[in-house]
Amino acid sequence: KAGVTQTPRYLIKTRGQQVTLSCSPISGHRSVSWYQQTPGQGLQFLFEYFSETQRNKGNFPGRFSGRQFSNSRSEMNVSTLELGDSALYLCASSSDRGSAHSPLHFGNGTRLTVT
Amino acid sequence: QKEVEQNSGPLSVPEGAIASLNCTYSDRGSQSFFWYRQYSGKSPELIMSIYSNGDKEDGRFTAQLNKASQYVSLLIRDSQPSDSATYLCAVKGGSNYKLTFGKGTLLTVNP
C-alpha cells in the first residue's frame, strides 16, 4: 500500500503570498490531519477532516484553512504568509475517524520557507 | 498546564543500555497513547501504541501505561546507535479524538 503523499516537498515563498499544500492519504483512509512542526513549538495541530467535513480545528489564525475532497485527498492553504509560518507541514491519515485507537500515519511533509 | 509533557532531554545512553522515555498527559478521558520516532529531517514514524493499563512489548520496545497516574512510558532495551532520534509521545483525547503530541525527547545512543 502506498503511504501518505505530500506535495510539494519544498516551497520557498515571499511574505504576503499564499500557498497551497496537497496531501493524498493512504488508500482507504478517510481521516486526514494537518500539523505544523517548528523547532520551538513541536508538532502543533492545525485541523482534521473526515468525509469532507472539518471535525477538529487547532488554535491557528484564519489564514490557515483546509479542505477535503470526495476522494479523501486534502489541501491546506495559508494566505498572507508571514515569516513565522516557515515550518514543516505534515499531513497524516488514519483509517477510521470513529475509532480512538486508529493511529496516524504521516507523510514526508512539505518544508515551507517564507522569506 | 501543557496537555502532553515529556522529559525535555536530551537523553544520552551507551549502546546496549536501557533507554527510558516518559510522558504525562492532562486529559483523564484520553483513550489511546502512541509513541512515534522521528529521525532528523524525517517525518514521525509510529513505533508503539497502547490502550490499556499495563505493559505492551514489541521486540526491544516496551510501552507502559498507568491511567490513574496519567503516565505513559517507553523503554528501549539493548539500545542501538540507530535508535538515536526524537521520540514523540502522542495522546488521543476522549471526546474529539484529536491527537496531541508532546514536544519530544531527543535520544542519543553512544557507541
Side-chain angles (χ1 to χ4, degrees):
Chain A
K1 235 181 196 180
V4 178
T5 304
Q6 291 188 247
T7 57
R9 289 296 307 277
Y10 302 94
L11 266 177
I12 299 176
K13 291 286 186 178
T14 304
R15 271 182 302 175
Q17 288 186 313
Q18 74 165 19
V19 66
T20 299
L21 312 181
S22 180
C23 172
S24 292
I26 293 171
S27 178
H29 285 193
R30 293 190 294 165
S31 172
V32 173
S33 299
W34 288 89
Y35 287 82
Q36 180 196 67
Q37 188 173 37
T38 58
Q41 297 300 317
L43 273 163
Q44 300 284 302
F45 174 75
L46 280 156
F47 25 66
E48 184 226 355
Y49 288 88
F50 179 78
S51 294
E52 303 178 67
T53 301
Q54 187 182 88
R55 290 297 188 181
N56 282 305
K57 189 177 189 306
N59 297 321
F60 278 81
R63 300 186 296 108
F64 292 81
S65 62
R67 59 177 175 168
Q68 186 180 32
F69 302 96
S70 58
N71 61 359
S72 294
R73 191 177 70 83
S74 178
E75 289 181 346
M76 70 163 280
N77 184 78
V78 188
S79 62
T80 320
L81 284 166
E82 301 176 358
L83 294 178
D85 297 333
S86 294
L88 179 66
Y89 290 88
L90 290 160
C91 169
S93 71
S94 66
S95 61
D96 184 357
R97 167 64 177 78
S99 167
H101 297 336
S102 300
L104 293 185
H105 301 273
F106 284 88
N108 288 326
T110 294
R111 173 74 62 185
L112 172 64
T113 301
V114 181
T115 62
Chain B
Q1 181 188 9
K2 293 194 176 110
E3 295 179 62
V4 180
E5 293 201 59
Q6 296 184 245
N7 290 348
S8 57
L11 176 65
S12 182
V13 300
E15 184 175 355
I18 295 176
S20 177
L21 304 160
N22 304 312
C23 172
T24 58
Y25 59 94
S26 60
D27 181 0
R28 284 197 170 273
S30 298
Q31 299 186 34
S32 306
F33 308 84
F34 307 92
W35 284 98
Y36 286 81
R37 177 177 61 199
Q38 187 173 25
Y39 292 114
S40 180
K42 302 293 186 183
S43 60
E45 169 195 13
L46 178 69
I47 53 172
M48 287 287 288
S49 58
I50 187 166
Y51 315 121
S52 304
N53 280 329
D55 295 358
K56 179 181 178 182
E57 187 174 317
D58 184 0
R60 295 186 296 111
F61 299 96
T62 299
Q64 299 174 316
L65 175 61
N66 183 326
K67 288 187 177 181
S69 300
Q70 295 174 248
Y71 174 91
V72 58
S73 66
L74 178 70
L75 299 178
I76 306 174
R77 289 182 301 282
D78 188 24
S79 295
Q80 302 296 308
S82 59
D83 294 326
S84 298
T86 295
Y87 287 81
L88 299 163
C89 172
V91 177
K92 189 173 279 194
S95 57
N96 60 16
Y97 301 152
K98 184 180 79 171
L99 194 62
T100 301
F101 286 82
K103 289 195 174 180
T105 299
L106 176 62
L107 172 67
T108 301
V109 181
N110 302 305

